[in-house]
């Protein structure tokens, strides 16, 4: 029975909208949908350039809809969290009245049997509109627009920027060797796996010897010493991106464990100021106290490495030990 761990990664973007999409988004807060004149046609959503020729369009914005006609559609029976509705719905190409191109949006019709090409739909607006395509919660069958909840009115200022969250959710299998190393760490033990063929020891829960293509498990566990020597380091100056919790430069060090061939990479340090980090510094493992354990670090209880007071090791070969 394989255990899986769910993770997600999110990239928050802010983008400027420009004069045309900005006007489109601002109009959405007023419950209006704008297109742009392109020769005899009207493009919806509006664009700054003709998509066929690349020619810049004159900024003649035209209100369309709000009702329109479904040109084609596809049913989404199992929406994910990324979808606009949390119940089954259709994605449809909707040609709004007065437009010559279709707008892609969601239609809340209840069932695929209620959907048809040529069907008339109108927007269901959100009560609170921020200048985003999701100000239209979805389209609904019929000619009449509707508003969800109290209508909080249009935006006070023209909409010029848009927040966008690009996000991925994924599931990774967790190998038993990884759980074993974390469990040992909770008991304040560093363990590795020793390959019975080549004798190499692997740390960090790597349950395989890539040299011998051999799976390693609990019978190959060896205890590793909680002391070592810094062989390499990097000082990270944190960039203040969203979600960054570090504000001051900090170190990550590589530690060669005593009497072994094992190098632990990118380890945090404790009570070792950035300016004192150096190759050859002798360090010992620092473990979380019982009180600190409640935070439930998924990687175990090792907090980092602290100088243990022993004299530095002067060995020019140390810097070559990055693995
Ligand atoms: Zn091996």
């Amino acid at each position: 029975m394989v255990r899986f761990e769910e993770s997600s990664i999110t990239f928050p973007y802010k983008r400027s909208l420009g004069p045309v999409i900005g006007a489109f988004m601002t109009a959405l807060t007023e419950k209006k949908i704008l297109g742009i004149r392109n020769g005899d046609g009207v493009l919806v959503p509006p664009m700054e350039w003709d998509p066929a020729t690349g020619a810049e369009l004159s900024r003649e914005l035209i209100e369309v809809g709000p009702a329109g006609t479904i040109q084609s559609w596809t049913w989404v029976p199992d929406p994910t969290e990324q979808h606009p509705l949390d119940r089954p719905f259709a994605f449809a190409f909707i040609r709004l009245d007065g437009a010559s191109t279709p707008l892609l949006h969601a239609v809340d019709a209840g069932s695929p049997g209620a959907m048809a090409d040529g069907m008339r739909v109108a927007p269901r607006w959100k009560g609170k509109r921020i200048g985003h395509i999701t100000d239209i919660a979805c389209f609904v069958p019929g000619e009449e627009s509707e508003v969800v909840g109290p209508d909080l009115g249009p935006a006070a200022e023209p909409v010029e920027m848009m927040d966008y969250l690009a996000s991925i959710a994924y599931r990774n299998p967790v190998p038993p060797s990884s759980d074993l190393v974390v469990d040992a760490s909770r008991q304040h033990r560093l363990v590795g796996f020793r390959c019975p063929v080549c004798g190499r020891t692997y740390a960090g829960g790597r349950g395989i010897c890539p040299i011998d293509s051999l799976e390693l498990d609990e019978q190959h566990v060896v205890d590793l010493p909680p002391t070592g020597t810094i062989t390499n380091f990097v000082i990270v100056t944190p960039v203040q991106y969203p979600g960054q919790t570090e504000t001051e430069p900090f170190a990550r060090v590589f530690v060669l464990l005593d009497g072994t061939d094992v190098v632990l990479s990118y380890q945090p340090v404790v009570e070792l100021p950035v300016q004192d980090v150096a190759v050859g510094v002798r360090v010992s493992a620092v473990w979380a106290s019982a009180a600190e354990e409640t935070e439930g670090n998924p990687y175990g209880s090792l907090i980092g490495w602290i100088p243990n007071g022993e004299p530095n090791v002067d060995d020019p070969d140390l810097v070559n030990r990055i693995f």
Side-chain angles (χ1 to χ4, degrees), residues 195 197-200 202 209 211-212:
C195 173
V197 179
C198 68
R200 288 178 175 85
Y202 299 97
C209 175
I211 309 294
D212 299 298

Side-chain angles (χ1 to χ4, degrees), residues 4 47 58 70 73 91 143 163 190 194 272 301 303 314:
F4 284 84
M47 296 179 174
S58 66
I70 291 182
W73 55 277
F91 270 126
E143 299 287 339
D163 289 322
L190 274 179
R194 180 167 292 147
L272 179 57
S301 300
I303 290 178
D314 185 13

Side-chain angles (χ1 to χ4, degrees), residues 12 15 26 31 44 57 63 69 114 137 173 202 205 222 247 269 271 299:
R15 56 162 289 187
T26 303
K31 293 183 291 188
V44 179
L57 299 174
E63 188 176 344
T69 304
Y202 299 97
V222 288
T247 55
V269 291
E271 291 175 28
Y299 303 107

Side-chain angles (χ1 to χ4, degrees), residues 24-71:
F24 174 74
M25 295 301 192
T26 303
L28 290 179
T29 75
E30 301 160 357
K31 293 183 291 188
K32 293 177 182 168
I33 305 171
L34 298 183
I36 194 165
R37 170 83 57 205
N38 181 19
D40 294 336
V42 176
L43 302 176
V44 179
M47 296 179 174
E48 291 183 41
W49 289 273
D50 183 333
T53 66
E56 187 165 4
L57 299 174
S58 66
R59 301 277 162 80
E60 192 186 343
L61 294 164
I62 295 164
E63 188 176 344
V64 297
T69 304
I70 291 182
Q71 288 191 327

